[in-house]
Amino acid sequence: MTCREAIYSENVLDYIVNAFSGNEVIEQRYNPLCITEIDRFRAIAYKQEEKINSESIGRFGYGTIPHVYGLMADEALEASGVSKIRRQPYLDLYGQGILVGIVDTGIDFTHPAFLNADNTTRIHSIWDQTIREGGDVKGFQYGREFTQEEINEALRDEEPLSLIPSRDENGHGTFLAGIAAGNEMRQQDFSGVAPLSELVIVKCKEAKNSYREFYRVPSDVPCFQENDVMCGISYILRVAQETKRQVAICIGMGGNLGNHDGETPLCSMIDYMNMLSGVCIVTCVGNEGNARHHYHLTKEREEIDINVELSSQGFVCELWWRTPGILRFDVVSPAGTTLGITRATTHTKIRKLFTVENTLLEVLGGEEQQQTRDQVVMFRFENSKAGIWKILVDSEEAEVDFHMWLPITQFLYGETTFVRPDPNVTICEPGNSRRAISLSAYDPADGALFLQASRGFTPSGIVKPDVTAPGVKLYGPLPKNNYGSMTGTGVATALTAGIAALYMQQYSNFVISGNSVRELLIRGADQRGEGYPNREWGYGTVNAFESIFYE
């Protein structure tokens, strides 16, 4: 089996591994079919296995298994201060010379919002991870790359898609690219934030069925693996290095699993990259604020009630705790059947069939992640029946401060919620990354916070969101030469990625980092809400003009 075949194979699992010690160590530990380098610290080991199970977690650690991410979007230029910048006669900030990277569902490269006046493309390149035929793409052994020259050749053809078979079937990626960097289209009363920048597009391949099944994700929902998002970021950075240009990258995806403290592999990658000169990565906080998917444990003994509204194929949830304390748990079905009191360890492996409900429960104890002492207990319900499922937790900690999360809304069948949820600490990964620019959303029409926006802070008290930008009913391009509106923190992220491109152009002589852009946004933000900063608005609403001219 070639590496390209392995990457797409449903009988091969992907592990995110430490690459610092070299491929020889990876080969000894994982015995993989092949290895793909993400950067000098991380790689992906592709190993011939059909299913993620307790043995996988026990051997290699929970942190090596990719999480899955969903899409975070379903007047703004004036509200964010971009129009005020454009009205300054001594400024010419439209993103000239800057790359804008989008890792998402692809792009409609034929849309007029991405064409120059001579009908050539403003897209520097597209890496379509879903196309199986092709050569290596900047060190990645899957997908196919389309260069600017190839895109222009296709645009001159009567059937452009016959030459470049890369489509955005969803429309999410096209929309975010348009908000960040679409052309100024006066007839449509639309303009992207950085309309003279060039785009680098990554179309992520969807998650393998093994990961959908493991995380119990419905088959008809867009779902993407963490390692493919990481490779997408790495590809964009390699393009920026080759072209010697600065780049602002928009990540409009998110997930609800992990310890929510910025310590997943993707978060640690973003932390490092946002310290580099000429690189800025912008993420969304997610749309989970009112989803009832977070429970905060603060007492030695807790009864956590999960209301499963509809019988379904199942769901997962994670309980995060920290050693050296001792934690015990039990699970009670709607019919009153119990799992039995169990002590949580890093090697917990339990399978229990609740016969009355015909529901199979698997409980897995995860190894601590590489960057933290946090431990995880994952509860996987298969064929879950409607009713109240209870998880009883008993801890010997003097001060209990543990958390439990259900997946993001679109990864659940029907309404599955905590009966007594906590709306705070609901920011999705990778929005908890310490040095990422993490965006919440508000409605520019009335100034109100987007009701579903996730709220901070992180469990360790890191301030997230950083700032809040317009993200409700924004107008932008959709595939097949259409326009429409979307709402969500992913939309606010795209708008802010465009603003980051303007900042990078303004300070091109200094070649600033993403961390510097984050500070610019914070210092110019208009304070909102109670307290400063606060869990809903962060440091306030983005004011692009004030951030540049702050004194």
Side-chain angles (χ1 to χ4, degrees), residues 419-453:
V419 174
R420 296 180 300 278
D422 180 358
N424 297 319
V425 199
T426 52
I427 290 176
C428 295
E429 306 288 17
N432 294 298
S433 172
R434 288 164 171 77
R435 293 187 178 88
I437 304 172
S438 303
L439 267 295
S440 188
Y442 74 96
D443 188 342
D446 61 10
L449 185 73
F450 173 46
L451 193 61
Q452 282 75 40

Side-chain angles (χ1 to χ4, degrees), residues 104-119:
D104 212 273
T105 63
I107 192 169
D108 178 0
F109 68 89
T110 68
H111 199 292
F114 311 114
L115 301 180
N116 294 309
D118 61 357
N119 207 43

Side-chain angles (χ1 to χ4, degrees), residues 259-273:
N259 72 347
H260 288 238
D261 228 358
E263 289 159 343
T264 64
L266 176 56
C267 285
S268 63
M269 177 186 189
I270 292 173
D271 272 352
Y272 175 75
M273 296 304 178

Side-chain angles (χ1 to χ4, degrees), residues 67-122:
H67 286 135
V68 289
Y69 296 125
L71 305 177
M72 290 295 160
D74 191 68
E75 351 177 303
L77 296 185
E78 192 70 42
S80 59
V82 173
S83 295
K84 192 172 182 180
I85 290 176
R86 292 183 178 177
R87 288 195 291 268
Q88 304 306 310
Y90 47 85
L91 291 178
D92 184 30
L93 297 182
Y94 290 84
Q96 299 97 312
I98 307 299
L99 296 176
V100 172
I102 308 288
V103 182
D104 212 273
T105 63
I107 192 169
D108 178 0
F109 68 89
T110 68
H111 199 292
F114 311 114
L115 301 180
N116 294 309
D118 61 357
N119 207 43
T120 58
T121 187
R122 288 182 45 235

Side-chain angles (χ1 to χ4, degrees), residues 221-346:
V221 173
C223 173
F224 308 90
Q225 287 178 209
E226 182 178 15
N227 54 296
D228 289 320
V229 177
M230 294 171 72
C231 287
I233 293 173
S234 186
Y235 166 81
I236 293 170
L237 295 179
R238 293 176 193 186
V239 171
Q241 283 182 315
E242 289 177 359
T243 58
K244 296 180 173 58
R245 293 163 73 178
Q246 299 185 81
V247 61
I249 302 175
C250 169
I251 307 296
M253 301 179 185
N256 221 18
L257 301 182
N259 72 347
H260 288 238
D261 228 358
E263 289 159 343
T264 64
L266 176 56
C267 285
S268 63
M269 177 186 189
I270 292 173
D271 272 352
Y272 175 75
M273 296 304 178
N274 255 4
M275 292 190 295
L276 302 179
S277 296
V279 177
C280 177
I281 302 177
V282 188
T283 66
C284 57
V285 299
N287 310 321
E288 290 288 304
N290 284 343
R292 302 174 67 88
H293 293 158
H294 167 241
Y295 189 96
H296 188 192
L297 293 81
T298 58
K299 296 179 293 187
E300 290 183 28
R301 292 175 178 83
E302 295 260 10
E303 178 185 299
I304 305 165
D305 295 340
I306 302 175
N307 181 23
V308 179
E309 186 179 75
L310 299 173
S311 298
S312 71
Q313 294 181 27
F315 67 95
V316 303
C317 58
E318 290 181 349
L319 168 61
W320 285 89
W321 61 292
R322 177 166 293 185
T323 56
I326 295 174
L327 183 141
R328 297 180 180 88
F329 60 86
D330 195 359
V331 178
V332 183
S333 75
T337 308
T338 65
L339 171 68
I341 297 174
T342 304
R343 178 174 171 174
T345 70
T346 56

Side-chain angles (χ1 to χ4, degrees), residues 40-51:
R40 61 177 178 166
F41 301 113
R42 287 159 285 263
I44 306 166
Y46 296 96
K47 185 172 177 59
Q48 190 153 17
E49 292 177 333
E50 294 187 7
K51 188 175 181 179

Side-chain angles (χ1 to χ4, degrees), residues 10 41 66 70 113 148 391:
E10 291 292 344
F41 301 113
Q148 193 168 67
I391 299 177

